[in-house]
Amino acid sequence: MRLKKTVKIVVPIIILLGIVYWGYKFINNTSSLLGVVHKNADAVVKIDLHGIQETIVLDALSSPKFYYDNISFSSSKKEKDSTLDKGINLKPYTVVLYTLKNVENTVFSTFPIDNFTGFNAYVKEYIKNKKGKIQNAEGYKYAVLEKSKVCIAWSSKNLAIAATPSKIDITKVSAVFTDVLVDEKLITDKNNNLIEQLKNAKDHIVYLKGTSVIGLNFEDGKLAVSGQLEVDKSSVFSKEITVNSVPNASLQLYLDYSFADENHKKDFISTFKNSSFLQKSNLQIDSIAKYSNGFFSLVVSGKTKQQDTIITYDYDDNFNKVEKKTIQEKEVPKMYVNLGVNKNGLPAYLQEQGAIEQGVFTALPIYNFYVSSATKTSLFATTKNIPKTAVFKSANFLDITADFSKLKNDISFPKSNLLFELLNTLEVKANQVKPGVVGLKGTLSAKRDDVNIITQLFFGLENAK
């Protein structure tokens, strides 16, 4: 009898909690998207923080031993960090990032301020710690954080953040800050088409631009990405590509961007025109594009040995300064970089610019890349031996595969082994589905297939410190 009474009490409570939780998700799924996206946003990325947290909680319930073995129960955070009222929630239900057509290479995000007094005290301390300086603008304040390549601006209602891979130019982002913080040009209509798309997207991370939709999800043992990208209907991608594959390679990548399409060539030039690497090497991107056909491939397969000449100086018995050369042997990954060419002038151009000396590409000082040419390709390789290849046909203009157990033995950079030991394979493919539409699909798999990939990477890297 007692059991029946308990069930009668518990079951309605569980149902009620379920309804409350469903209501919480239903409301926040929309409300978290309002007032945080510019009305003229071009591309938008929604990061479903709540959905990611929910996935991890469910994963912990299904794999409790993994979490118990990895979670540290000792508190290392300062007490004041947990009690400080920042006046703003920087980890909301959903984070939305957006770009604007008239501001290149810059990502924006907007957060509502809940308590301006608390936020004002917090942001002053934050900027001070970041060695920044608060500036006044008409209707808002801002600070450029040079080291982080970020600019933050705020009014009494909202915080706006601009991030860029290069140095922040306040003149380029100030108009957006005025839009967001002063004129409040933010989408607040829940029936707005973009808000509807974001709300209906169930992916952990979703990218939207026009009819383009790419979803990314963190699952047990893998990260999965899939979707379609809208491109210009006149864009030309090869329907079938002949690929020279190196068997059992640890990493293979090929991309055929088809410079037969002049817009592709213009995009390529625009993307790399400000490359510091090219500028330091006295190379012009439009000249490289002139000799190229848009095909690029990279293969890593095994290791080889190279010799470096180390120059030191000493003094002879007569105190004359004498140059000494020492040959040092080092082990490097076997790397093959293949550039498709439509003319045979690429190596000649690189040599004229001083980027090739005695058959070696000198613009990359880490390894010696030996240059050789054929009718339609220029090969840059860390070994003089041409690899044996298997030829196959592919409908994908982009294809990336990696075997991390092999890759960790072939290539090394700071902490790479820590990451590679946690991962299994990578596969990414893209093809033209129809005129104006490109399909994309990819999977990054981790060592364990019964634990979410986020927690595997987080605990794996954290425990390796």
Side-chain angles (χ1 to χ4, degrees):
M1 292 294 290
R2 287 181 180 178
L3 180 60
K4 287 184 178 180
K5 288 182 179 180
T6 302
V7 171
K8 286 181 180 181
I9 295 172
V10 171
V11 171
I13 291 175
I14 292 173
I15 294 173
L16 180 61
L17 289 174
I19 293 172
V20 171
Y21 183 66
W22 177 85
Y24 165 78
K25 288 182 64 175
F26 180 81
I27 293 170
N28 279 280
N29 196 34
T30 301
S31 62
S32 64
L33 301 171
L34 302 179
V36 296
V37 185
H38 195 290
K39 287 184 177 180
N40 298 324
D42 179 36
V44 179
V45 174
K46 183 186 84 168
I47 305 172
D48 184 3
L49 295 182
H50 178 79
I52 293 172
Q53 291 171 350
E54 187 179 65
T55 298
I56 292 173
V57 169
L58 293 173
D59 187 55
L61 294 175
S62 64
S63 306
K65 188 177 184 304
F66 176 85
Y67 285 80
Y68 182 83
D69 291 342
N70 285 281
I71 291 176
S72 172
F73 294 96
S74 60
S75 177
S76 60
K77 290 187 177 181
K78 297 178 181 178
E79 287 297 322
K80 67 176 183 179
D81 289 343
S82 58
T83 58
L84 177 66
D85 180 11
K86 297 178 181 178
I88 189 170
N89 183 9
L90 295 173
K91 295 180 181 179
Y93 189 92
T94 298
V95 171
V96 181
L97 312 175
Y98 56 88
T99 63
L100 295 161
K101 283 184 179 179
N102 57 342
V103 188
E104 290 184 353
N105 302 320
T106 306
V107 176
F108 296 91
S109 192
T110 307
F111 296 85
I113 295 172
D114 304 317
N115 173 8
F116 181 68
T117 303
F119 174 76
N120 206 34
Y122 166 71
V123 76
K124 285 180 179 178
E125 186 66 22
Y126 179 81
I127 291 170
K128 179 182 176 182
N129 293 336
K130 294 291 183 179
K131 312 295 183 186
K133 184 179 179 181
I134 296 176
Q135 307 279 348
N136 290 312
E138 191 173 341
Y140 64 90
K141 294 183 177 181
Y142 71 92
V144 177
L145 308 179
E146 299 282 0
K147 202 170 183 181
S148 305
K149 296 179 181 176
V150 166
C151 184
I152 61 175
W154 64 95
S155 63
S156 60
K157 291 184 179 180
N158 290 307
L159 165 70
I161 301 174
T164 175
S166 55
K167 186 177 180 180
I168 285 282
D169 184 348
I170 189 61
T171 60
K172 291 184 177 180
V173 299
S174 58
V176 180
F177 289 156
T178 299
D179 284 350
V180 171
L181 302 174
V182 180
D183 300 331
E184 297 185 18
K185 292 182 178 179
L186 298 164
I187 302 174
T188 56
D189 179 10
K190 65 180 181 181
N191 295 317
N192 177 276
N193 182 55
L194 179 59
I195 299 300
E196 286 284 343
Q197 284 183 282
L198 291 171
K199 180 182 70 174
N200 294 328
K202 304 305 179 186
D203 304 288
H204 287 145
I205 299 176
V206 66
Y207 166 87
L208 297 175
K209 183 179 179 181
T211 60
S212 300
V213 183
I214 301 291
L216 187 151
N217 291 283
F218 303 99
E219 303 173 6
D220 282 0
K222 66 180 180 180
L223 182 156
V225 59
S226 63
Q228 294 188 339
L229 285 171
E230 178 187 13
V231 296
D232 193 290
K233 286 190 176 180
S234 63
S235 289
V236 177
F237 292 96
S238 299
K239 294 181 179 180
E240 187 177 77
I241 300 169
T242 301
V243 180
N244 291 297
S245 174
V246 177
N248 301 315
S250 55
L251 171 67
Q252 290 201 80
L253 176 160
Y254 69 80
L255 168 65
D256 187 353
Y257 201 46
S258 187
F259 283 175
D261 186 327
E262 283 296 322
N263 288 328
H264 287 185
K265 185 181 289 189
K266 289 177 183 177
D267 288 343
F268 173 77
I269 294 172
S270 175
T271 301
F272 294 101
K273 66 181 178 181
N274 296 320
S275 168
S276 59
F277 163 73
L278 293 175
Q279 291 170 1
K280 289 177 183 177
S281 304
N282 195 32
L283 299 175
Q284 301 297 321
I285 191 62
D286 53 347
S287 296
I288 293 175
K290 174 184 174 182
Y291 296 110
S292 305
N293 62 20
F295 182 85
F296 168 84
S297 70
L298 167 66
V299 175
V300 178
S301 181
K303 286 188 173 183
T304 187
K305 290 185 178 180
Q306 291 186 347
Q307 291 182 338
D308 275 347
T309 302
I310 310 298
I311 299 175
T312 58
Y313 294 91
D314 202 352
Y315 293 90
D316 61 17
D317 295 339
N318 296 319
F319 298 101
N320 295 314
K321 195 174 184 180
V322 179
E323 180 184 281
K324 286 188 174 182
K325 293 183 179 180
T326 306
I327 304 298
Q328 186 180 66
E329 194 170 64
K330 63 180 181 180
E331 197 172 47
V332 304
K334 278 186 181 179
M335 298 178 68
Y336 306 94
V337 178
N338 212 330
L339 297 181
V341 296
N342 52 21
K343 299 179 181 179
N344 292 326
L346 181 60
Y349 167 72
L350 296 177
Q351 195 156 349
E352 286 173 7
Q353 301 305 111
I356 293 180
E357 294 180 8
Q358 297 180 340
V360 177
F361 186 61
T362 57
L364 290 171
I366 301 175
Y367 307 129
N368 292 328
F369 279 88
Y370 304 99
V371 184
S372 59
S373 296
T375 306
K376 295 183 179 180
T377 62
S378 286
L379 178 65
F380 300 75
T382 57
T383 175
K384 293 180 179 180
N385 298 322
I386 304 299
K388 292 181 179 180
T389 60
V391 180
F392 69 92
K393 304 283 187 180
S394 174
N396 303 314
F397 66 83
L398 169 68
D399 199 306
I400 307 170
T401 58
D403 183 329
F404 291 101
S405 61
K406 293 178 182 177
L407 194 59
K408 73 178 181 180
N409 296 321
D410 293 347
I411 195 168
S412 180
F413 51 85
K415 296 187 177 180
S416 62
N417 283 349
L418 297 178
L419 180 62
F420 291 168
E421 285 175 0
L422 299 171
L423 297 173
N424 191 24
T425 60
L426 171 68
E427 290 186 14
V428 180
K429 301 179 187 298
N431 67 306
Q432 187 163 17
V433 178
K434 60 182 180 181
V437 179
V438 165
L440 177 68
K441 191 171 185 178
T443 303
L444 175 66
S445 65
K447 289 297 182 184
R448 294 186 56 162
D449 59 9
D450 60 335
V451 177
N452 193 279
I453 190 170
I454 291 181
T455 47
Q456 286 192 62
L457 295 179
F458 175 79
F459 288 127
L461 295 174
E462 189 71 17
N463 294 337
K465 288 181 180 179

